[in-house]
Amino acid sequence: MNIINFTEANCKNCYKCVRSCPVKAIMVKNEQAEIVTERCIGCGICLQTCPQNAKNIKSDLKEIQKWIQEGKKVVASIAPSFPAAFQLEQEEQIVTALKKLGFQRVEETAIGAELVSRVYKRLYDHSSWEHVITTSCPTINYLIERYHPSLVKYMAPVVSPMIAHGKLLKKRFGKETKIVFIGPCISKKFEILHFQHDDVIDGMITFDELHYWLKESRFCLRELPVSSFDSIQCNEARWYPLAGGVAYSVLKGKEDRRTVIKVDGIENCIDLFESLKKGQISNSWIEINACSGGCINGPGIQLSPWGKCIRREKVIEYIHKKRSLNTFDKDILDSVREKQLFKVFMERPIQAKIPTEEQIKEILQNIGKYKKEDELNCGGCGYNTCREKAIAVFQGMAEKYMCLPYMRSRGETLSNFIIQNTPNAIIVLDQDLNIVEFNPSAEKLFGYKDSEVLKKPIQMIMQNSGFEKVQRDKKLIYRGNHCLEDYEIAVWETVLYIKEQAMYLGIFSDITQEMKDKESIRKMRENTLNMTQEVIDKQMRVAQKIASLLGETTAETKVTLNQLKRLVQSQEGEL
């Protein structure tokens, strides 16, 4: 199941997500970006950088609301970075808000961090471990397991504070209780999926999702009364969401036995991993966090009203307020044994075929890169180098024609080829009707070389053209016949005004022969009609003569027959 998904209609092939992804877990297929789950480390950087809002995250919000509506017992575990996420008069107004939404209990995830700190302290003192890497950040855990598997042996074998708190809550309130984690992290959604069969955390929403829920419910946080957390008071573990906060919580300045290293930001983490693999660091305890500045700058806290520096101060302010109120309940924490917090991390290297040099060379040549100088390494495709992109093409993660310089060059070449070879005359004018483009067909039609007419007014070529009509009548397009008597030709002209470039484009088709053919056909038709009329007239005259002769003959015949009749009748009387 994908936690982060793409909306195809919004994906515009900008490759910004590919460029920002630190592990290149985004595949482009059929010009659409798609996250490859096996490669993803859940950092959420692509969510923050996508300019088209083409990505969305899987949400448990509807399911959580359903549990509440059904009357199930739902407990919230809220991350200690919450003061950085909301505008509150008093921090514990968030407890009131969550209970108004339907949560029966609200506890701080920092309680789970107290449990985890116990294991970290023991590992710090464990002499057999050359290095200890904290494992509270799921994104870093995935980064090591998949991309730096040789360092898995240094990962502290302990669950995250979220899972630790979930185990404690399930133990206290029963497995039928629904535990919901609320925090600033996207990769926690991935982590919950991996613990799905352990029935620890039932659902998770980010602070941003909670913002939407509160807005939908029309709650004004600053106007709500204050309610206390239902949890046992936690101790120094509220420092966990700040860069360096884990070391502060666990070691409290006792950093004499090991080199304590605090690293945040994925690029810095990767740089540290390379140093570890090269043996440049020894006997270290490493606090590591994917988000620069710590969890207070996670991808699920983007709707925070505070700037990054202010977020840190808000959390510190809350820690100092609560410090004097700590009534740490050791017995409840002791109910969760250390072995219940144990977690095995495994080497899960990405299995990807590496192309040969010949295969890389062939891919590069397909996009016009025949020599080293052709490899611009501009990063437009999202990859740092052309070679890296070629490898991604071979592995099916990228498409050949994602190369923007190549596609631009190809487009320009294709456009130029069409303009140079079209049988239509093409003339382009600037805003003042001066010629800026005059293709070979235009040279042939009008009898001028482009060097003779460039930067000259169109009136040098023709008068009363469509260009002038479009300019005068403020039209965007004009079509019509134009007889150019000076050239003894007729043309069909189409003139467009291209507003974005403030230029006029004219396309002229020579229709002289067509017009001549039409005139010839017209004359032939006229002659045919004339000849037809003459034949009709002659036929009428013949008919009239025939009728006249027939009339005379008929009359004479009548007289003769009448005379014959009378003669016969007289002879019959005598008899």
Side-chain angles (χ1 to χ4, degrees), residues 412-513:
E412 290 173 349
T413 301
L414 184 59
S415 298
N416 187 59
F417 177 83
I418 292 171
I419 290 172
Q420 294 299 312
N421 291 279
T422 179
N424 295 319
I426 294 179
I427 303 175
V428 180
L429 309 184
D430 62 18
Q431 198 165 4
D432 299 320
L433 301 188
N434 294 318
I435 300 171
V436 295
E437 179 70 45
F438 201 74
N439 78 336
S441 291
E443 291 180 340
K444 183 178 179 181
L445 183 64
F446 297 105
Y448 287 94
K449 293 292 184 183
D450 63 344
S451 58
E452 297 174 315
V453 298
L454 291 180
K455 299 183 181 180
K456 302 290 176 56
I458 188 60
Q459 288 81 6
M460 177 179 174
I461 303 297
M462 67 182 83
Q463 300 293 328
N464 300 318
S465 66
F467 293 111
E468 295 167 281
K469 291 182 176 67
V470 170
Q471 186 187 55
R472 181 181 64 247
D473 300 334
K474 307 296 184 185
K475 292 182 178 180
L476 294 179
I477 187 168
Y478 167 81
R479 294 186 180 92
N481 291 337
H482 193 177
C483 292
L484 304 174
E485 296 178 358
D486 292 343
Y487 302 96
E488 296 182 349
I489 60 174
V491 294
W492 172 263
E493 59 180 336
T494 301
V495 176
L496 308 170
Y497 178 61
I498 306 172
K499 189 176 181 180
E500 291 77 9
Q501 280 77 37
M503 302 182 83
Y504 296 87
L505 169 65
I507 304 172
F508 299 85
S509 300
D510 185 354
I511 59 172
T512 305
Q513 188 59 48

Side-chain angles (χ1 to χ4, degrees), residues 19-254:
R19 189 158 44 252
S20 65
C21 181
V23 293
K24 297 295 180 280
I26 298 176
M27 174 176 66
V28 177
K29 186 176 181 181
N30 298 325
E31 299 185 351
Q32 292 291 323
E34 178 183 335
I35 292 176
V36 179
T37 304
E38 301 76 40
R39 291 174 174 248
C40 183
I41 59 175
C43 64
I45 292 176
C46 59
L47 286 168
Q48 298 169 266
T49 59
C50 180
Q52 303 297 331
N53 295 319
K55 299 178 186 66
N56 56 76
I57 61 171
K58 176 184 174 294
S59 178
D60 295 331
L61 183 56
K62 296 296 182 185
E63 188 70 15
I64 294 166
Q65 291 172 332
K66 182 181 176 184
W67 295 334
I68 292 172
Q69 290 169 1
E70 291 173 349
K72 294 181 179 179
K73 186 173 184 177
V74 185
V75 176
S77 171
I78 188 166
S81 51
F82 76 89
F86 303 95
Q87 193 165 10
L88 304 161
E89 292 294 330
Q90 297 187 59
E91 291 83 0
E92 289 175 323
Q93 286 173 315
I94 195 68
V95 178
T96 305
L98 289 171
K99 290 197 171 182
K100 285 177 92 50
L101 291 174
F103 291 94
Q104 293 186 23
R105 293 183 64 87
V106 181
E107 297 197 7
E108 294 184 82
T109 315
I111 299 166
E114 292 287 354
L115 290 167
V116 170
S117 291
R118 294 179 170 189
V119 182
Y120 284 162
K121 287 174 184 177
R122 183 180 60 76
L123 291 172
Y124 177 83
D125 294 328
H126 206 298
S127 59
S128 64
W129 282 65
E130 183 182 1
H131 304 288
V132 178
I133 300 175
T134 62
T135 51
S136 296
C137 177
T139 291
I140 293 302
N141 297 343
Y142 302 143
L143 179 64
I144 296 174
E145 288 183 319
R146 295 173 180 176
Y147 296 94
H148 303 275
S150 63
L151 302 180
V152 166
K153 59 189 175 185
Y154 302 130
M155 296 174 70
V158 60
V159 298
S160 69
M162 176 188 74
I163 298 298
H165 191 214
K167 286 177 177 287
L168 179 61
L169 290 171
K170 288 286 187 179
K171 188 176 183 65
R172 291 169 64 197
F173 304 115
K175 288 192 174 183
E176 71 281 356
T177 300
K178 298 294 184 181
I179 310 300
V180 175
F181 174 72
I182 306 171
C185 185
I186 298 296
S187 62
K188 291 295 184 185
K189 292 177 180 283
F190 288 82
E191 185 181 13
I192 290 169
L193 280 179
H194 294 161
F195 276 88
Q196 201 170 37
H197 301 298
D198 293 347
D199 193 27
V200 179
I201 302 294
D202 299 287
M204 183 261 171
I205 57 173
T206 64
F207 287 140
D208 289 345
E209 289 176 281
L210 180 56
H211 266 285
Y212 288 121
W213 192 1
L214 291 169
K215 184 178 180 180
E216 184 182 80
S217 303
R218 299 186 178 181
F219 291 157
C220 180
L221 286 173
R222 288 175 294 173
E223 296 176 0
L224 294 176
V226 173
S227 299
S228 298
F229 280 103
D230 296 303
S231 56
I232 55 174
Q233 294 293 333
C234 47
N235 210 330
E236 301 294 339
R238 291 193 181 100
W239 288 94
Y240 263 60
L242 305 178
V246 178
Y248 185 87
S249 301
V250 174
L251 305 178
K252 296 180 182 178
K254 298 177 182 179

Side-chain angles (χ1 to χ4, degrees), residues 356-406:
T356 64
E357 286 299 317
E358 283 302 313
Q359 289 169 324
I360 293 174
K361 184 178 178 181
E362 181 182 354
I363 292 169
L364 290 172
Q365 287 179 350
N366 284 338
I367 52 174
K369 301 182 187 302
Y370 294 94
K371 50 186 184 297
K372 199 69 178 174
E373 298 80 53
D374 296 330
E375 298 177 30
L376 301 179
N377 301 327
C378 65
C381 60
Y383 292 88
N384 294 324
T385 66
C386 297
R387 181 183 176 85
E388 186 180 338
K389 185 277 191 91
I391 294 172
V393 170
F394 178 82
Q395 294 173 346
M397 293 296 293
E399 294 183 313
K400 208 180 294 184
Y401 299 116
M402 285 166 57
C403 180
L404 299 185
Y406 170 73

Side-chain angles (χ1 to χ4, degrees), residues 336-362:
V336 178
R337 299 179 181 179
E338 186 173 313
K339 68 178 182 179
Q340 293 176 287
L341 304 176
F342 181 76
K343 176 174 172 55
V344 176
F345 293 97
M346 301 177 63
E347 297 183 14
R348 310 175 196 271
I350 299 299
Q351 302 295 331
K353 292 182 179 180
I354 302 300
T356 64
E357 286 299 317
E358 283 302 313
Q359 289 169 324
I360 293 174
K361 184 178 178 181
E362 181 182 354

